[in-house]
Amino acid sequence: MNYPPAREMLAGTNSYQKESQKMSADLTDTEIDNICTGQTQNAAKVRHLKRMGLCVRQKPNGRPLVNRRHYDEVTSGAKVTTTGSEPNWGVPA
């Protein structure tokens, strides 16, 4: 039996890991760092992302957490739907 070299097996694993990161539901830390160029503190990154109109949560370590689909909707200019957790102040009760 001929097995592929360990380097090829590792390369396949790394590419699989990179592929799975691309399909994650949330933006990666690297993607957020690229969006928030100039900011080094997590609080500054959160403020920057919120000013962009994004709904931002925070990880336990303080880093921002942004849903990929929401980011795509906001940056593409598509209509963003809310989850209904916020009051609708425009409609009388």
Side-chain angles (χ1 to χ4, degrees), residues 4-30:
R7 197 173 335 149
E8 288 179 20
M9 289 171 47
L10 289 175
T13 303
N14 289 339
S15 65
Y16 174 75
Q17 289 172 348
K18 289 178 184 175
E19 191 68 29
S20 66
Q21 286 178 348
K22 289 179 187 175
M23 298 199 149
S24 67
D26 298 316
L27 295 177
T28 63
D29 290 342
T30 304

Side-chain angles (χ1 to χ4, degrees), residues 3-77:
Y3 293 102
R7 197 173 335 149
E8 288 179 20
M9 289 171 47
L10 289 175
T13 303
N14 289 339
S15 65
Y16 174 75
Q17 289 172 348
K18 289 178 184 175
E19 191 68 29
S20 66
Q21 286 178 348
K22 289 179 187 175
M23 298 199 149
S24 67
D26 298 316
L27 295 177
T28 63
D29 290 342
T30 304
E31 290 171 323
I32 289 177
D33 290 342
N34 290 337
I35 295 166
C36 299
T37 55
Q39 283 88 14
T40 56
Q41 295 181 353
N42 293 329
K45 291 177 185 179
V46 169
R47 284 192 306 271
H48 176 74
L49 294 167
K50 285 184 178 181
R51 274 189 241 124
M52 290 177 62
L54 297 169
C55 179
V56 183
R57 294 174 292 172
Q58 283 186 281
K59 297 178 184 179
N61 63 0
R63 295 208 37 110
L65 183 65
V66 178
N67 182 279
R68 182 177 304 279
R69 184 171 157 214
H70 176 66
Y71 173 78
D72 290 339
E73 288 175 349
V74 170
T75 56
S76 70

